[in-house]
Amino acid sequence: MNMSSGIPRRTFIRRGALAAAGGLALASGNNEHLSAYAQSSERPFVTCRKDRKLVGIYCSADQVINHPGYLDELQDKLGCNVIIVSHGVNYPDEIRRMTPFPKEQQWVGAGYAENDENINRCAEILHSRGIDIWLYGTGHVDGGNDDSLSPVDFNGMIFRHQPEPKYALEAGGSALCFQKPSIIRWQTNSYSWVCKNYDIDALYLSHHRYTIPASYPRLFGCACSDCQKAAYRLGYNFDNMKKAMLRLQANLHRLTKNKVKQAADLGFTYTDFLQSLAGGTEIMDWLEFRAAAVTDSLGRINKAIKVATGGRCHFIVDTVNPTFSLLVGHDLKTFLGEVSDAFYPMAWVAHHYLTVVAAWANALVERVDGLDEQTALKVVYSLIGWDDIDLPRNRIADLHIGATPKEFNSDEFYRHIKKYIPGLMTHEYRRGALLNVRNLPSYQTVFPHYWGRKITEPLMDEIMAVGHDGYIFEISPEPFVKRPGSG
């Protein structure tokens, strides 16, 4: 068993019980004074506590262990009380044998590391300061290792073999199928083992969703045999949904310039669109089923973690902006609470937001003879509920997405789009507050790394004003606090 500062990994549970009984504080990582707020009986300090504002920062293990002055600044200047750390864990042999891809050593979730000293050390240091630690993992992604675990469309084509639409920035990547028994077995066992055996306050996972809907062909799946069985088990008629979705594909190819222009002029909404189609109800059923399949799969992880830790550790899965959450398989009325213990939407404005507008508008222009880009953009904004937001409306190129991922340039994008960010993000923060119907702890994303301080500070205030419970700085806290070694 690996040791961290002379403390065995599994002794934290026993020590935590002693601290709760005797009022002992966790020892500081560098043997300095003990934090007055680091009583283990108070933990988690802020995670999923509605009575306390959360301010989160992503940090490396090196920054936590070797740069105490940086942590001081994060706490003093920003009120940081959650640190998100990415680090491998030392799975035992019986867990490692469950991985879906043993030969490739691909880790779905938290990665593997034979030496886990640093993650244990981080937990000690942060808890001594009254800071919660979230262990970050990712990887529910189809890396092409095993086609039998890949999602497929209604024709049996694997998602990653589909042609990529222009402006789809997640091109080349897709989720694994959410209903494969081997993946579910790995996730429920490995994730709960991690939470039981490490002194973390939350296991936080990213990319546990379907592809961003800019890759619109992937909305027509997963339709594998396991998902078909799941559909009927969850109360959906797969055959009817399949017929409706294939009919939708055919109808989209029959759109005319006049019809699209009328829809744009009338401000056609999503519900208008569904009502205009034969099988609109089954189309909505399909989107709900995709989300139900995700909740069914990932909800098992949440339950397993709660059982393994007696409710001590939280499970948090991020999502995309609320406008597109259902389209990536996250139905917020069930996903929040049954899967994720908190609402944490990301704020990658290019990759998660405007890429969808660009790809959908371009699809209309390519498929509808004589349709101009301005009308295509107008109908897409109306369809997704962004017609009242100040955004580029004349040309798709004005979104500065780039036709392929290789053509996308972050600096160029933000140079032209930055002025639109306050209106767009305010809209999504408010939309998210209304869609959080279970009133779960809600942590929004700010992105000063790209947005700058002038834009970010008012948005931090807006997040709290509309009723969210805190915010997390994506990538880094700069320019508010300088990272070690950033020059």
Side-chain angles (χ1 to χ4, degrees):
M1 179 182 298
N2 290 336
M3 305 286 284
S4 176
S5 302
I7 301 173
R9 180 196 311 155
R10 290 182 171 85
T11 61
F12 76 83
I13 297 176
R14 176 176 56 82
R15 187 180 63 178
L18 290 172
L24 300 176
L26 292 172
S28 166
N30 53 11
N31 294 320
E32 293 179 355
H33 64 279
L34 303 181
S35 168
Y37 301 100
Q39 300 289 339
S40 60
S41 59
E42 293 184 7
R43 287 183 43 216
F45 303 115
V46 294
T47 300
C48 294
R49 294 186 63 164
K50 293 284 290 183
D51 59 330
R52 298 188 183 179
K53 177 183 176 181
L54 181 148
V55 179
I57 310 287
Y58 290 78
C59 283
S60 67
D62 173 73
Q63 289 169 344
V64 172
I65 295 171
N66 298 317
H67 298 276
Y70 180 52
L71 297 181
D72 289 341
E73 284 196 87
L74 293 178
Q75 289 187 282
D76 294 342
K77 293 183 178 181
L78 295 176
C80 173
N81 48 30
V82 165
I83 294 291
I84 301 171
V85 179
S86 177
H87 197 283
V89 296
N90 187 7
Y91 295 113
D93 289 342
E94 62 270 22
I95 297 293
R96 289 207 302 272
R97 284 194 291 268
M98 295 182 188
T99 179
F101 309 114
K103 294 181 180 179
E104 291 80 4
Q105 290 292 297
Q106 176 184 335
W107 301 98
V108 180
Y112 171 72
E114 184 174 346
N115 187 337
D116 57 4
E117 177 179 344
N118 281 348
I119 190 62
N120 291 313
R121 184 80 166 130
C122 286
E124 286 190 65
I125 291 172
L126 295 175
H127 288 151
S128 75
R129 289 173 167 267
I131 299 175
D132 287 343
I133 178 172
W134 294 7
L135 180 62
Y136 169 81
T138 185
H140 193 95
V141 176
D142 179 14
N145 302 326
D146 185 344
D147 287 352
S148 70
L149 301 179
S150 302
V152 300
D153 65 14
F154 291 111
N155 297 313
M157 179 180 284
I158 294 173
F159 278 9
R160 56 183 155 79
H161 293 167
Q162 294 174 333
E164 287 291 352
K166 287 178 66 175
Y167 305 108
L169 292 184
E170 279 194 334
S174 68
L176 293 162
C177 173
F178 285 92
Q179 284 294 321
K180 297 302 181 189
S182 62
I183 296 175
I184 293 173
R185 179 170 175 261
W186 160 258
Q187 290 179 323
T188 53
N189 283 277
S190 67
Y191 294 0
S192 59
W193 182 90
V194 169
C195 294
K196 181 178 180 180
N197 287 276
Y198 290 88
D199 194 12
I200 58 176
D201 301 286
L203 176 62
Y204 156 53
L205 299 176
S206 187
H207 287 272
H208 279 52
R209 55 168 173 79
Y210 279 116
T211 313
I212 296 297
S215 296
Y216 45 83
R218 294 176 186 175
L219 292 170
F220 296 83
C222 178
C224 71
S225 58
D226 289 303
C227 286
Q228 293 180 41
K229 294 174 185 176
Y232 286 105
R233 175 171 56 82
L234 296 170
Y236 296 87
N237 188 311
F238 182 85
D239 291 333
N240 287 347
M241 294 187 297
K242 176 180 178 180
K243 291 176 184 176
M245 292 301 292
L246 292 177
R247 191 182 303 121
L248 171 63
Q249 284 183 321
N251 288 337
L252 290 175
H253 284 283
R254 287 197 289 265
L255 286 173
T256 65
K257 175 184 175 181
N258 184 52
K259 284 187 177 181
V260 176
K261 189 175 187 308
Q262 286 182 23
D265 292 341
L266 292 170
F268 236 49
T269 65
Y270 177 61
T271 53
D272 291 331
F273 174 69
L274 290 180
Q275 290 182 86
S276 70
L277 297 170
T281 300
E282 287 76 18
I283 291 170
M284 190 63 206
D285 284 347
W286 172 249
L287 296 177
E288 289 190 351
F289 159 66
R290 291 172 86 241
V294 173
T295 294
D296 173 70
S297 176
L298 301 186
R300 304 182 199 197
I301 303 170
N302 191 311
K303 293 175 183 176
I305 289 172
K306 296 301 183 292
V307 170
T309 68
R312 172 187 60 80
C313 186
H314 289 283
F315 182 51
I316 297 172
V317 181
D318 67 31
T319 185
V320 300
N321 53 305
T323 292
F324 301 129
S325 58
L326 182 63
L327 301 184
V328 301
H330 292 172
D331 186 344
L332 297 182
K333 67 179 179 290
T334 54
F335 178 79
L336 300 181
E338 294 181 35
V339 174
S340 182
D341 293 329
F343 180 28
Y344 179 24
M346 307 300 283
W348 291 84
V349 175
H351 294 74
H352 293 176
Y353 294 62
L354 297 186
T355 182
V356 180
V357 174
W360 287 12
N362 182 72
L364 287 172
V365 170
E366 289 183 345
R367 295 182 182 191
V368 180
D369 289 340
L371 185 67
D372 61 285
E373 293 187 3
Q374 186 177 28
T375 301
L377 287 167
K378 185 177 180 180
V379 79
V380 170
Y381 285 136
S382 178
L383 185 69
I384 64 179
W386 286 0
D387 48 345
D388 61 339
I389 305 175
D390 181 24
L391 289 167
R393 295 182 177 273
N394 294 322
R395 301 184 310 148
I396 296 172
D398 293 338
L399 295 168
H400 295 275
I401 294 298
T404 67
K406 289 183 179 180
E407 296 176 50
F408 174 72
N409 182 286
S410 295
D411 292 335
E412 179 194 2
F413 173 79
Y414 282 102
R415 186 165 60 250
H416 291 92
I417 298 298
K418 188 177 290 187
K419 63 182 178 181
Y420 300 107
I421 287 174
L424 177 60
M425 295 311 302
T426 295
H427 176 99
E428 291 299 289
Y429 293 150
R430 293 176 180 177
R431 195 170 198 160
L434 285 175
L435 287 173
N436 184 14
V437 294
R438 290 192 172 189
N439 196 32
L440 258 66
S442 178
Y443 312 126
Q444 304 298 291
T445 305
V446 292
F447 225 143
H449 178 84
Y450 286 126
W451 301 351
R453 184 167 190 156
K454 184 178 179 181
I455 288 176
T456 302
E457 282 187 313
L459 290 175
M460 291 159 62
D461 294 335
E462 174 69 19
I463 287 169
M464 302 309 297
V466 300
H468 297 294
D469 301 293
Y471 40 80
I472 296 172
F473 290 79
E474 183 62 69
I475 292 187
S476 84
E478 294 186 6
F480 293 91
V481 175
K482 183 179 178 181
R483 288 180 296 176
S486 61

